[in-house]
Amino acid sequence: MSSFLSKMVNMDDDVMLNQIWDVHDNLVLRKDGSVFAIYRIPSKIVNSVDEKGKEELKDIEYSALANCLTYRDFMIKTTPVNQDLSARFKLLADDIDWDSATADLAEYVLNGMVETLVDSIGMPFDYWHHIIVPLKSIHLSVDLKQTMEQAFRRTRDMTMNLLGFFEGVPENWYEEYVQQEEAAYSDLSGLDVTRLTTDENWFLQRLHFIQGFLYDNESELIAVKDNVENIDDVAITLENVSVIKMSDFDDATYRWYLPIVEIPQNVSFMHVLDKLVGLNFPVGSTVLGNFMAVKGALGVEGKANRNRRRLNRTAIDADENGDTQNAKVVSSILLLDDLKENIDEGEPIVQYLHCLDFSAQSIEQLKVQYEILTKTLASIGVKVSKASADQLYLLYKTRIGEVLTTYDKNFIQKMSLSAFCENLFFTTRKVGTDVGFAIGRVDNELKSWQGDYRSAIEASSNPVYVNLLQANKNNVEGKLTANPHVAVIGATGRGKSFLIKLLFTYHSMLKIQSLYIDPKSEMRKQYESVLAELEENDEFPELQDYIRSIDFVTLDPNNPRNHGVLDPIVFLTGTDASELAESMISAVLTNHSDIVEYGYMTAIETVMARRQAGELVGMRHVFEEMMKSDVEKVRSAGMLLDKKSKDSILSLCFSDGKNHAIDLTAKTTVLEIAGLDLPSEETDEIEKAQKNSLVVMYGIGYFCKLFGQRDREVETVVVVDEAWQFKSTSAGRSVLKQMKRVGRSFNNFLVLGTQSVADVVTNDDTTGFGTVFAFLEETEIDEVLDYLRVEKTDTTRKWLGNTGHAQCIYFDTFGRRERITVEGMFPEINKLFDTVKSKLKSV
């Protein structure tokens, strides 16, 4: 920085030099001898419409900040940090099944997600929150002698530096501050603070100067650790007099600092930080706070009294002259009265500088962001200054380790600590997992997008990542439940089935087994149609291989190839095969005698022995054995069973064992079950076709149960779309209950899609769902809010009620709830999910 520029902005060269001398863990030693402690505060995920949660967070903030009184100064810094997409997707890639036929499509998807996110958003970002307190400050020391010694040392060091002499960093300087740091950590523990490591500390110092750049975390860290003076190693100039341009080799970014200069008289529910995190571009926030002395001539009480008397005289003069009293004078008197009341009640008083900053690749883009930011703040009565002459001052004043001094007079706000906490610090809007597949964006609006979900996606820069398997893993910080099951609820036509198929497709690429139960029998036809088109055009070989890898199983008795697909003697072994065979026969032969039961159990045992010997057998061989019996009733039952197994839906379960049965070991299976005629309730009066369908349902249930618990070390995902069809009969309900109970101990994840929230609320099963995607069902808004444990208010009803196509409320395993817009990033893959066909040309 040239001396001319320094003088133009009224800054000393020394001020703009790097002030950091050394760091150790979360401690910072500055060149003036002051020491600061930095603490990371995890983002407080408060639902955007959860007013009760926000009030509770403000209470927590108040209690923790009140403990900072002993430090006098503090800094609260919210920093946007680029998401390391490469690291995120590398971790996800470690779980991809690279030895399967899905590997090529998985590579295509992972690479495509990174490219699409960067192209559409820029670099996705997260917010980091830190609080910094001085353990020893050159600016504020209660010990006059210590202050003088620090000031003398600082003057001596500056003189030595001018002469070319430099003092080395004191050895083990941090040991002196161990007890003070422990006390500070305890004072702030209510905010769940964590200490920084030395590397995190160095990187945070550097981050102040590289906001807006594309950077590599590791490279920046190495440079700073190599030489502390590299912390501020960027070229800084002023563009158009009032905008900072920062350059680093061939990269450049423009940055603007906007101090808050006006806030509403009633700061209740101001929630500045909550507004900022809802913007679709990153905005940094730095607060330099200082607890004001209350008593004494220079204390806030004395100043307030003097200002009150002055304003009273102004009001009296205006009244005597017949002038209408200035509204600002009246409001100022009221504010001072409020301040006096807070002082009398012992309320801490804070003065602070609150500065916002944001970056862009061009001045034009910066201006657009400025308009959006100021409009957003104006909606809550907050105004900022362009601070054209103070940009460099604000750049350096917002560095870590700075505090307010008597020289800082501009842009300062004064208020009680409780009013200060109305800013609602440390929040962010997040839902989903840190590592996972990108499935959409957080929607920050309450309004309806009128079905224009693309605009909702473009309005948000907050991606939603999902890895359903994380629900079952230990040591995931912040996770509130280990329940692996997922419910996707909502009316037809809202995008429910699209999301279910999207989740199924992405997760089927992992090292898992996946099963999709398709009651509408629409997937095979659509997938094969897409495959035929791709083959004809010689396109997208990755998707071709993926489709061919799926084991499609159709429960259609009219196709001889499907006969025996659920034959227990073919697809099961041992006790499992015997038990299911007995259950199926018993369901067909209602009111049979003990001798008949003995007959078919003996026949099953005989046929199982033949299978063990290597013979190709099936359930019809059991019936043949029964027909050889010396007991007439057993022979008759065998003849009846053999007859029923032909030309009916029972042929799916009773076969000669020659056809391929459903495969418990297949990586990806789609099971089509259309054609089942299930009764609403099982009674003796049910029709024959319904009774036969129940037998098939037993087979499905047994397969699903064993699919989930066959191997504890292999995760399994079972998707049941249109689950209301299962819920219509006790046999179907039993199947769902069995699958849910397999659950966590067997690494089995059930994804249940259904229209009504009533289908996921049952009195006879308390397993529940750990994750919920709630699409709109207009007749069940209050019921869904109850299920999501969201308070019913006009705001929350709008929040859910205004969701449109492709939008839902996502309730994750961390207890977070946000409105999201589902995004299928790959149109070429989305064709698989296009099951609504029409011959009309105008729709």
Side-chain angles (χ1 to χ4, degrees):
M1 184 66 63
S2 69
S3 59
F4 170 76
L5 185 56
S6 301
K7 291 180 174 60
M8 183 179 72
V9 295
N10 194 28
M11 295 181 66
D12 296 329
D13 288 333
D14 181 58
V15 173
M16 294 186 293
L17 294 176
N18 167 46
Q19 301 299 314
I20 304 301
W21 200 1
D22 192 22
V23 307
H24 178 80
D25 292 340
N26 65 318
L27 299 182
V28 177
L29 173 65
R30 284 168 56 93
K31 293 176 180 178
D32 61 9
S34 56
V35 176
F36 290 79
I38 308 176
Y39 299 95
R40 175 86 176 267
I41 299 173
S43 292
K44 307 302 179 183
I45 316 293
V46 180
N47 175 256
S48 54
V49 295
D50 183 5
E51 297 304 326
K52 181 180 178 182
K54 292 176 183 179
E55 294 306 305
E56 291 173 351
L57 176 56
K58 283 185 278 188
D59 289 342
I60 293 172
E61 293 175 359
Y62 179 92
S63 297
L65 293 176
N67 290 337
C68 291
L69 270 167
T70 56
Y71 309 102
R72 293 289 301 277
D73 292 297
F74 63 91
M75 173 184 281
I76 295 175
K77 201 166 185 66
T78 294
T79 310
V81 182
N82 293 349
Q83 290 181 1
D84 191 345
L85 292 181
S86 297
R88 284 174 182 252
F89 283 97
K90 184 178 183 301
L91 286 171
L92 185 60
D94 290 341
D95 290 333
I96 294 294
D97 190 350
W98 296 111
D99 295 326
S100 73
T102 66
D104 290 342
L105 183 63
E107 183 175 11
Y108 179 92
V109 166
L110 296 187
N111 291 334
M113 282 185 175
V114 174
E115 293 174 5
T116 302
L117 286 172
V118 173
D119 288 345
S120 60
I121 296 176
M123 182 58 69
F125 58 89
D126 294 316
Y127 281 107
W128 284 359
H129 307 283
H130 296 88
I131 187 167
I132 302 100
V133 295
L135 302 184
K136 184 179 76 172
S137 173
I138 187 68
H139 303 287
L140 289 171
S141 172
V142 295
D143 188 328
L144 179 61
K145 179 181 177 182
Q146 184 182 22
T147 301
M148 293 179 66
E149 289 176 350
Q150 291 175 344
F152 170 77
R153 179 176 178 178
R154 186 165 183 265
T155 303
R156 182 200 65 184
D157 291 345
M158 291 174 63
T159 304
M160 291 178 64
N161 291 345
L162 289 173
L163 297 175
F165 299 100
F166 300 92
E167 183 177 357
V169 177
E171 186 176 356
N172 300 332
W173 58 268
Y174 44 84
E175 293 180 353
E176 182 181 344
Y177 300 97
V178 172
Q179 291 184 346
Q180 290 172 264
E181 191 281 328
E182 286 281 358
Y185 179 77
S186 177
D187 288 339
L188 297 169
S189 60
L191 293 171
D192 302 319
V193 295
T194 57
R195 297 177 171 98
L196 271 63
T197 65
T198 300
D199 282 357
E200 290 171 341
N201 198 336
W202 280 125
F203 180 71
L204 189 61
Q205 306 296 333
R206 174 61 173 162
L207 193 57
H208 183 75
F209 292 94
I210 57 175
Q211 287 295 305
F213 290 109
L214 288 176
Y215 51 80
D216 176 70
N217 296 23
E218 192 65 29
S219 299
E220 298 294 343
L221 178 60
I222 291 171
V224 175
K225 291 176 68 175
D226 183 59
N227 186 346
V228 66
E229 300 305 325
N230 287 334
I231 283 177
D232 58 359
D233 185 22
V234 289
I236 301 174
T237 56
L238 289 176
E239 295 283 318
N240 294 351
V241 181
S242 61
V243 175
I244 294 175
K245 180 180 180 180
M246 309 186 83
S247 305
D248 187 17
F249 294 102
D250 57 348
D251 196 5
T253 186
Y254 298 90
R255 192 182 302 180
W256 204 343
Y257 284 85
L258 302 177
I260 290 178
V261 294
E262 186 175 322
I263 56 177
Q265 291 185 12
N266 183 357
V267 297
S268 298
F269 314 112
M270 183 172 61
H271 300 175
V272 172
L273 272 295
D274 192 45
K275 283 289 185 181
L276 296 181
V277 298
L279 297 174
N280 66 347
F281 59 91
V283 179
S285 166
T286 304
V287 175
L288 287 96
N290 170 256
F291 287 97
M292 302 179 68
V294 176
K295 302 298 182 179
L298 299 178
V300 64
E301 185 176 29
K303 291 180 180 179
N305 288 335
R306 290 191 292 274
N307 286 332
R308 181 69 165 82
R309 289 192 294 270
R310 179 179 57 81
L311 290 171
N312 281 341
R313 286 195 298 270
T314 302
I316 291 171
D317 291 343
D319 186 58
E320 290 176 349
N321 294 328
D323 297 333
T324 301
Q325 293 184 14
N326 189 305
K328 286 189 176 180
V329 173
V330 176
S331 63
S332 296
I333 291 174
L334 294 174
L335 289 174
L336 284 172
D337 288 343
D338 182 63
L339 180 62
K340 181 66 166 60
E341 183 178 340
N342 286 322
I343 293 171
D344 292 341
E345 293 176 355
E347 173 87 12
I349 306 301
V350 178
Q351 61 176 346
Y352 67 97
L353 165 67
H354 191 176
C355 189
L356 311 178
D357 67 274
F358 54 100
S359 304
Q361 299 302 305
S362 68
I363 292 181
E364 290 73 21
Q365 184 183 2
L366 202 71
K367 290 179 179 177
V368 171
Q369 292 178 350
Y370 170 81
E371 294 296 331
I372 295 172
L373 176 60
T374 53
K375 183 178 179 180
T376 299
L377 293 175
S379 70
I380 55 173
V382 174
K383 294 182 181 180
V384 295
S385 168
K386 290 185 177 180
S388 299
D390 294 287
Q391 288 299 297
L392 286 176
Y393 159 73
L394 294 170
L395 167 66
Y396 288 99
K397 194 63 185 178
T398 52
R399 293 178 299 185
I400 289 175
E402 298 290 336
V403 297
L404 288 183
T405 71
T406 55
Y407 300 103
D408 300 309
K409 299 184 182 299
N410 296 329
F411 320 122
I412 305 298
Q413 312 289 325
K414 297 181 178 70
M415 63 179 60
S416 66
L417 180 59
S418 57
F420 174 76
C421 291
E422 289 294 328
N423 282 285
L424 195 62
F425 299 102
F426 317 128
T427 64
T428 193
R429 293 184 185 175
K430 181 179 179 179
V431 70
T433 55
D434 288 333
V435 176
F437 298 98
I439 66 160
R441 311 272 181 90
V442 172
D443 180 17
N444 296 305
E445 299 290 344
L446 281 176
K447 69 179 183 182
S448 170
W449 293 92
Q450 304 299 324
D452 185 8
Y453 67 92
R454 298 187 187 279
S455 293
I457 291 172
E458 292 170 2
S460 172
S461 60
N462 194 345
V464 177
Y465 304 99
V466 174
N467 182 352
L468 299 180
L469 305 186
Q470 192 182 86
N472 203 25
K473 302 300 176 286
N474 296 319
N475 302 320
V476 179
E477 185 178 353
K479 188 158 62 74
L480 298 182
T481 179
N483 187 323
H485 302 314
V486 181
V488 186
I489 61 178
T492 300
R494 294 282 180 177
K496 180 174 79 267
S497 290
F498 181 93
L499 174 61
I500 291 173
K501 291 182 174 70
L502 189 70
L503 292 172
F504 175 78
T505 301
Y506 287 158
H507 286 78
S508 67
M509 302 172 190
L510 301 175
K511 297 172 185 175
I512 68 168
Q513 284 183 261
S514 52
L515 167 66
Y516 195 113
I517 298 178
D518 177 21
K520 294 183 287 188
S521 293
E522 60 187 14
M523 290 180 66
R524 178 202 286 263
K525 184 176 181 181
Q526 179 63 18
Y527 279 50
E528 290 180 345
S529 173
V530 171
L531 177 60
E533 182 180 342
L534 294 175
E535 289 175 334
E536 181 180 351
N537 299 323
D538 194 22
E539 295 175 337
F540 209 169
E542 300 92 343
L543 187 56
Q544 291 187 43
D545 290 341
Y546 174 80
I547 297 172
R548 294 190 194 102
S549 74
I550 299 174
D551 184 15
F552 287 99
V553 178
T554 304
L555 301 185
D556 178 9
N558 296 318
N559 187 338
R561 291 183 301 176
N562 296 322
H563 291 176
V565 71
L566 288 176
D567 191 318
I569 293 180
V570 180
F571 85 90
L572 297 175
T573 59
T575 304
D576 291 327
S578 298
E579 286 184 355
L580 181 57
E582 291 172 16
S583 297
M584 287 180 167
I585 292 175
S586 178
V588 176
L589 298 177
T590 53
N591 301 322
H592 57 273
S593 63
D594 290 345
I595 192 65
V596 171
E597 182 175 354
Y598 177 81
Y600 68 68
M601 290 177 67
T602 303
I604 291 172
E605 186 177 329
T606 300
V607 174
M608 290 297 296
R610 291 166 59 185
R611 181 189 177 185
Q612 187 70 23
E615 190 175 343
L616 197 65
V617 291
M619 284 292 290
R620 291 186 63 186
H621 292 93
V622 173
F623 308 153
E624 290 177 1
E625 290 291 331
M626 292 175 67
M627 287 187 286
K628 298 176 185 177
S629 174
D630 294 334
V631 180
E632 182 179 353
K633 287 185 177 180
V634 175
R635 288 198 307 273
S636 298
M639 294 171 62
L640 176 63
L641 289 167
D642 187 63
K643 179 65 175 177
K644 283 178 173 288
S645 66
K646 300 174 182 177
D647 301 323
S648 77
I649 197 170
L650 291 177
S651 63
L652 298 171
C653 305
F654 302 152
S655 73
D656 57 13
K658 294 180 180 179
N659 281 347
H660 170 69
I662 196 166
D663 186 359
L664 278 167
T665 65
K667 175 173 174 55
T668 309
T669 302
V670 174
L671 176 61
E672 298 181 328
I673 63 171
L676 294 185
D677 181 12
L678 296 171
S680 57
E681 291 295 336
E682 292 175 43
T683 67
D684 293 337
E685 308 301 323
I686 63 176
E687 299 176 3
K688 180 176 68 175
Q690 293 176 333
K691 184 187 298 184
N692 293 344
S693 291
L694 288 175
V695 175
V696 177
M697 183 61 78
Y698 293 146
I700 294 172
Y702 220 95
F703 169 75
C704 292
K705 183 180 75 170
L706 292 183
F707 178 85
Q709 67 183 30
R710 187 180 62 86
D711 188 342
R712 288 179 181 269
E713 296 184 2
V714 176
E715 278 90 350
T716 51
V717 173
V718 178
V719 176
V720 182
D721 199 1
E722 301 298 338
W724 60 270
Q725 297 189 35
F726 278 75
K727 301 284 289 187
S728 65
T729 172
S730 62
R733 291 191 293 271
S734 176
V735 170
L736 294 178
K737 188 184 297 185
Q738 286 178 358
M739 286 190 285
K740 288 175 69 177
R741 290 181 176 175
V742 170
R744 185 170 186 265
S745 61
F746 288 94
N747 285 318
N748 178 246
F749 299 76
L750 172 65
V751 180
L752 191 76
T754 191
Q755 296 178 11
S756 173
V757 68
D759 292 334
V760 299
V761 180
T762 55
N763 295 325
D764 60 341
D765 182 10
T766 59
T767 307
F769 293 86
T771 299
V772 180
F773 296 91
F775 290 81
L776 178 63
E777 168 51 70
E778 293 181 354
T779 63
E780 296 184 343
I781 291 177
D782 279 4
E783 290 80 0
V784 171
L785 291 174
D786 283 336
Y787 187 74
L788 298 177
R789 298 192 290 279
V790 174
E791 184 179 1
K792 297 190 293 292
T793 65
D794 290 343
T795 299
T796 57
R797 289 185 178 101
K798 288 180 182 178
W799 179 63
L800 173 58
N802 284 338
T803 53
H805 178 68
Q807 292 194 307
C808 63
I809 307 301
Y810 178 14
F811 179 23
D812 68 15
T813 55
F814 300 86
R816 303 178 296 219
R817 308 160 187 83
E818 286 295 348
R819 193 164 99 171
I820 72 169
T821 307
V822 177
E823 178 183 18
M825 285 189 175
F826 307 98
E828 58 275 36
I829 296 177
N830 296 345
K831 290 180 180 179
L832 295 176
F833 318 143
D834 183 15
T835 55
V836 179
K837 302 298 182 182
S838 175
K839 294 182 179 180
L840 301 178
K841 303 299 183 183
S842 60
V843 296

